[in-house]
Every structure is written in C-alpha cells, then in structure tokens.
C-alpha cells in the first residue's frame, strides 16, 4: 500500500472547505476571546468585590477544565441548562472563545504587570493624566511583551479547533476523517492535514521566536 | 497676598508633622517632623531601611500616609485627587533607577509631561526640552532612545524631564546609587548647578561629601524617625546620636 498523492489532490475541495472552517473558528474564537480577555483582565486587575470574583472564577475554571469537556458540555448540556440548542459550529465557537478569553486575560494581565513599577510611578510623579499614564506609558510597553504569548495562543487555538470535529463541525480534521473513511486513505489524508496545520502554525511560531529575541535584546 | 492666609501660611515649601507610614504592620515612618523652607537644599542620609525613601515618596503622594500631615507649597496631604495632582505637577522627582520611558526618544521623554499635564503646545514643549537638555549637557543625544545612553546620561535626562514641569520643589531619591562610579560626578554636577538657581531640593543620598558641600541642612534618619537635623558644619561634629556616630564610622 503505497502513498498515493493523487488522492489528496482529488479531495482538495473537501480539505479546503474544512480548512476554511478551521480558520473561521480560530478567528471567531480569537476576536471574541480578545474581548472576553480584556474584561477578564480588567476585572482581575482593577475589579473590586463581585467583578473581581467573576473574572477570577471565569479565568480559573476555563484554564482548569479540558477544552473538549467545555465543548461537549456546551453542545450536549446547553439545551438542558439554557433551553436552547446551539448548532455544532456555534457550540464549538463559544467553547473556543471562552478558552481563548481565559488565556488572553492572563496574557494581558501578565503583560501589564511586567511593565516595571517605576514606569507608572514616574508617570504619576510627573502629574500625567491617568489616561496618558495608561495609553502612552504602560500599555505600549505591555503590548510589546504580550506579542509572543499572544502568538503562542493563536497557534494553540488553531490546534484545538480540531476538537470541534467531535461534535460534528466540518472543519479540517472532520473532512479528513470523512474522506479517509470513504477511501481508506488515512495515511495520505492525515499526512496532508498535518502539513496544512504545520504550514499555518510554523510561520507564526517563527515570528514569535524572532520577536522574543528582539525583546531580549531590548531589555539588555 | 490675595489668597486666604491658609493657602500661603509661611515660607515653608514642605512642612511635615508627625508623619506615619506603615507597610502592612511594619512602621517605615514613625512620626516624622520636617520643615524645608523655600530655596533650601536638604539632604537626607542614613542607613537603608531607615525611612529615607519612604519619606521622600510621601512628599509627592506616591505613598499615602497613615498618620500626621504634610503641607507642600500650601497644599495639604492627605488630600483630594485634585490636590495630589497639583502637588505632583509642582514637585519634580528623580528616581534611583531613572525610570525613563524606554519607548520614547529623549526629546519626547522630556516634552511629554508639559504637553499632557500643562497643555503646552508640542513645539513649545520640545523647545523647552532642547533648552533643558542643553543645560544638563546632553543636547546631542536628543533623538536617541534611553537604552542608547549611559547611566549618567539617562539620569541627566531624568533631571531635565522633571525640570520640564517647572517644579517649585525637586525631590531626588538616591540619584547616583545605580551609577557606575565614573558617572556619579556628571549627575552631581547637574544637581550642583540646580542648587545655584535657588531651587528647593530634598535629596536622599549616600554621597556625604556632596551633601556637605551643597546642603543647607543634613537630616539623618534611622528607624523611621529623624534623629539629627543640622547644618553641615554641625552635622559631622554631632556625636550626640550614637546611631549617627555608628553610621558615619561605617561610611566615612
């Protein structure tokens, strides 16, 4: 049983449809997750009382429960708890957004806390308005430090999007299993899927690495 | 004087009465009384952990106080947010670790505060930055970033940055302690020049020779209190306080 590259080419339409859905899932999860992460970070850094606890519980729970369990839970238990059944895509996107949001909240928070205390002290000592302290002094420095872990999370979100196949989202892994189930060509199809993921993720990792080196040089 | 008498009570630039500061339960300041008149240069010396830095940081409300009162140029602490902002804009501060903004050029570091905190147009603020940087001897570094400068140069930029707000009081927190020895003098020289302009200055320092030279008074702090407060001529002769004697024996 040799490797038949032709099978990949013949099923390229299915694979590219799957890839499109994989990327769509990742983009939605990162966009919604960025908003969730923003509020989660704000709640943990500046929140008092209830807001702080909501943010902390959200972040802790979502980082402590396997992604797949969250996805299954939303898809299968959602109807019981919320009284509404989400489509498999909506359930997967929700679970991935919650996952990304919790991790981004921590990435944002770590970035802000990594800005030396002396920076905000100098800004305050100069009498800069609070808006300027944040927007001109703290955040530009924090954002730079957030870039490598942010890219890391982007690659992670793309990788876990494959889990959505388990609840029937026709993304890359799902399409590959359907096609290989019909053709018994697991070898070719899952090799192709691996290469596709790698081609997306590897350049991102390279960018993060390169940027980390820039940061290391800057901080002397 | 058109103001009410309460707002301009005296010639005091700084008046501390019974200032108490605790970190958790540790008392960093246990009732500090300090008076600095306009135009005076006061150096604060003493062993680490004695409360020097804590005191300095309470003077522009970087640390809120837990007891007593502080009057800076007629404004009382503890005070409202507006009072605190007013004090910070009128009191310049230079830190041991420079704390320049690393993502901005030297020019921008110096020009930013007058623009944002005083609403000064950019051109005027940058012109002021150029003037002040020339005054501290680093006009040629104006377009560089802080990381491209030596420690001594960075600290002189920090002095210029504080002066750009045209403060009436300058606070220095061990400004030469993080510097390599060969760079200490250029920073001290910039400060020396400032003392000649009649600026009110409070300087926390380990440079006793410098303190003796520029200070009107030297204050010795230990264990959260002011143990000795005397003109230089008397300070080094003061043998009344055993902690000062021990300190001088160690550093001289």
């Amino acid at each position: 049983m040799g490797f038949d590259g032709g099978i990949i080419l013949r099923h390229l339409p299915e694979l590219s449809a799957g890839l499109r859905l994989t990327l769509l899932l990742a983009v939605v999860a990162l966009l919604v997750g960025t908003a969730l992460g923003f509020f989660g970070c704000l709640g943990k850094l500046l929140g008092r009382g209830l807001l702080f606890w909501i943010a902390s519980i959200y972040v802790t729970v979502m980082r402590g429960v396997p992604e797949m369990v969250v996805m299954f839970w939303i898809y299968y238990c959602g109807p019981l708890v919320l009284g509404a059944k989400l489509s498999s895509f909506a359930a997967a996107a929700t679970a991935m957004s919650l996952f990304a949001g919790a991790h981004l909240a921590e990435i944002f928070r770590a970035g802000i806390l990594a800005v030396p205390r002396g920076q905000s002290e100098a800004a305050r000592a100069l009498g800069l308005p609070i808006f300027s302290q944040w927007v001109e002094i703290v955040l530009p420095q924090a954002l730079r430090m957030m870039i490598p872990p942010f890219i890391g999370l982007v690659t992670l979100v793309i990788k876990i999007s494959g889990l959505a196949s388990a609840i029937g989202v026709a993304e890359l892994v799902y399409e590959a299993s359907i096609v290989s189930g019909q053709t018994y060509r697991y070898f070719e199809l899952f090799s192709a899927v691996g290469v596709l993921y790698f081609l997306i993720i590897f350049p991102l990792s390279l960018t993060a690495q390169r940027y980390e080196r820039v940061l290391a040089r800057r901080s002397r | 004087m058109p103001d009410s008498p309460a707002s301009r009570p005296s010639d005091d630039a700084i008046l501390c009465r019974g200032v108490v500061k605790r970190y958790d339960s540790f008392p960093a300041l246990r009732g500090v009384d300090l008076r600095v008149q306009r135009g005076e240069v006061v150096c604060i010396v003493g062993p680490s952990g004695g409360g020097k830095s804590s005191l300095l940081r309470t003077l522009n409300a970087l640390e809120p106080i837990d007891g007593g009162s502080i009057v800076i140029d007629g404004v009382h602490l503890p005070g409202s947010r507006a009072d605190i902002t007013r004090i910070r804009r009128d009191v310049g501060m230079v830190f041991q670790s420079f704390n320049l903004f690393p993502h901005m050029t030297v020019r921008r570091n110096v020009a930013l505060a007058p623009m944002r905190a005083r609403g000064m147009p950019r051109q005027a603020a940058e012109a002021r930055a150029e003037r002040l940087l020339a005054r501290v001897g680093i006009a040629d570094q104006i377009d560089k970033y802080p990381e491209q400068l030596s420690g001594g140069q960075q600290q002189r930029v920090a002095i210029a940055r504080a002066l750009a707000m045209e403060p009436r009081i300058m606070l220095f927190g061990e400004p030469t302690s993080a510097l390599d020895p060969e760079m200490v003098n250029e920073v001290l020289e910039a400060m020396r020049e400032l003392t000649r302009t009649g600026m009110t200055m409070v300087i926390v320092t380990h440079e006793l020779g410098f303190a003796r030279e520029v200070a009107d008074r030297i204050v010795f702090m230990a264990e959260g209190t002011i143990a000795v407060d005397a003109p230089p001529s008397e300070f080094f002769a003061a043998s009344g306080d055993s902690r000062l004697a021990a300190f001088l024996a160690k550093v001289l």
Side-chain angles (χ1 to χ4, degrees), chain A residues 50-116:
Chain A
L50 191 63
L51 278 179
F52 172 82
W53 284 110
I54 291 174
S56 301
I57 290 170
Y58 161 59
V59 168
T60 310
V61 168
M62 280 301 147
R63 280 160 53 92
V65 177
E67 183 43 22
M68 189 143 209
V69 174
V70 176
M71 211 178 267
F72 277 9
W73 199 92
I74 290 174
Y75 188 61
Y76 292 112
C77 311
L80 302 174
V81 179
L82 307 169
K85 184 165 168 60
L86 292 177
S87 70
S88 55
F89 181 84
T94 306
M96 287 172 57
S97 299
L98 288 171
F99 170 84
H103 282 81
L104 284 169
E106 287 299 271
I107 289 172
F108 295 161
R109 196 173 71 100
I112 288 169
L113 293 180
V115 176

Side-chain angles (χ1 to χ4, degrees), chain A residues 39 42 44 46 52 57 60 83 93 108 135 146 159 193 206:
Chain A
F39 289 113
L42 225 60
K44 281 192 80 172
L46 306 174
F52 172 82
I57 290 170
T60 310
F108 295 161
V135 171
M146 289 173 199
K159 286 180 206 167
V193 166
L206 266 190

Side-chain angles (χ1 to χ4, degrees), chain A residues 5-217:
Chain A
I7 200 98
I8 297 169
L9 290 177
R10 247 171 286 140
H11 291 284
L12 217 50
E14 288 98 322
L15 290 180
S16 70
L19 183 61
R20 230 172 299 150
L21 215 49
T22 291
L23 294 178
L24 184 64
L25 265 181
V27 168
V28 170
L30 288 167
L31 287 179
V32 179
T34 298
L36 286 173
F38 176 76
F39 289 113
C41 165
L42 225 60
K44 281 192 80 172
L45 276 183
L46 306 174
R48 297 273 177 275
L50 191 63
L51 278 179
F52 172 82
W53 284 110
I54 291 174
S56 301
I57 290 170
Y58 161 59
V59 168
T60 310
V61 168
M62 280 301 147
R63 280 160 53 92
V65 177
E67 183 43 22
M68 189 143 209
V69 174
V70 176
M71 211 178 267
F72 277 9
W73 199 92
I74 290 174
Y75 188 61
Y76 292 112
C77 311
L80 302 174
V81 179
L82 307 169
K85 184 165 168 60
L86 292 177
S87 70
S88 55
F89 181 84
T94 306
M96 287 172 57
S97 299
L98 288 171
F99 170 84
H103 282 81
L104 284 169
E106 287 299 271
I107 289 172
F108 295 161
R109 196 173 71 100
I112 288 169
L113 293 180
V115 176
R117 213 184 142 80
Q119 290 292 308
S120 59
E121 283 186 350
R124 277 189 287 152
L126 284 166
L128 290 179
I130 188 93
F131 179 81
S132 166
Q133 289 177 29
W134 277 99
V135 171
E136 293 187 284
I137 307 301
V138 176
L139 288 181
Q141 299 183 60
L143 282 173
R144 282 179 195 179
M145 285 186 268
M146 289 173 199
I147 288 173
F150 182 83
I151 296 177
L153 183 72
V154 172
T155 66
L156 189 59
V157 165
I158 292 170
K159 286 180 206 167
I160 64 163
S161 67
L163 297 175
S165 64
I167 56 171
V169 179
E171 45 67 69
L172 192 52
V173 173
Y174 183 90
E175 292 287 358
S177 11
I178 296 293
V179 172
S180 47
Q182 291 162 351
T183 59
Y184 297 101
R185 289 292 184 172
Y186 291 94
F187 185 23
E188 289 83 352
L189 282 157
F190 277 97
S191 302
V193 166
V195 169
L196 284 174
Y197 273 119
F198 184 81
L199 288 179
I200 299 167
I201 288 168
F202 182 62
L204 287 170
S205 306
L206 266 190
T207 314
Q209 266 176 31
R210 195 162 305 162
Y211 202 85
E212 254 166 17
R213 243 172 280 145
V214 172
L215 282 184
R217 208 178 318 133

